[in-house]
Amino acid sequence: MWESAHLDAGSDKPAIDDNKIKLYNMRFCPFAERTVLVLLAKKVPFEVVNIDLKKKPDWFVESTFGKVPVILHKGKIIPESLITSDYLDEVYPEPKLHPSDPLQKALDRVVVEKQSQMMKYLYPIFAKVPGRVVTNEEKVEHFKNLVEHLKTFEVELASRGTTYLGGDEPCMADYMIWPYFERIEALPILLGELGQSFVLSSN
């Protein structure tokens, strides 16, 4: 299902089964990946419909915010990665990904918001910025800033004294930030010779 073609403008709207979750996805979107990770963690059966975000189908734009992820469940449209993930954690309670303590849940969400800021450094490195060309020197500087930002996560994890934010097993916060970390590892591969400047130390 992951390899299915991305539907674009002019594509017919796929049939909907109200008894099964359908996920509007884009294979390389870190936000959609959040929802995918939650679905997989909970072993929830679901169908994937990949959407071409550069040439979006009219029916997709008309019924959503024009972004992924979106899940369709029981005849309802639920957008946004954090909203869909929270919804799934309530509807499919095993394994529970959010902590039961409201304070810890709030603190975990603070970590997610803080680590989401790394996209402002990552995006100019591997994506085209509309209206301008990002030089190699700027990309290297963005990477240096990214490394400094990552130190805040190391401090947070060290303060918990655990393998994951959730303890011995990943929790919701871990799944929400993993797509960013995953893309850091891809930088040396995506950027060729320049990418060798973006190899993180294992120390």
Side-chain angles (χ1 to χ4, degrees), residues 113-141:
E113 292 301 320
K114 188 170 187 177
Q115 295 310 313
S116 295
Q117 294 174 20
M118 74 173 72
M119 282 302 289
K120 68 183 179 184
Y121 307 120
L122 264 177
Y123 186 80
I125 296 174
F126 67 77
K128 293 182 179 180
V129 178
R132 67 182 297 265
V133 175
V134 180
T135 66
N136 287 347
E137 290 76 13
E138 288 176 307
K139 291 181 179 181
V140 171
E141 188 63 28

Side-chain angles (χ1 to χ4, degrees), residues 147-176:
V147 172
E148 287 301 310
H149 180 81
L150 289 174
K151 292 178 181 178
T152 65
F153 178 72
E154 292 180 344
V155 170
E156 177 65 35
L157 197 58
S159 72
R160 300 189 182 206
T162 55
T163 303
Y164 302 99
L165 294 172
D168 294 333
E169 299 291 336
C171 67
M172 183 67 78
D174 292 293
Y175 288 122
M176 295 302 98

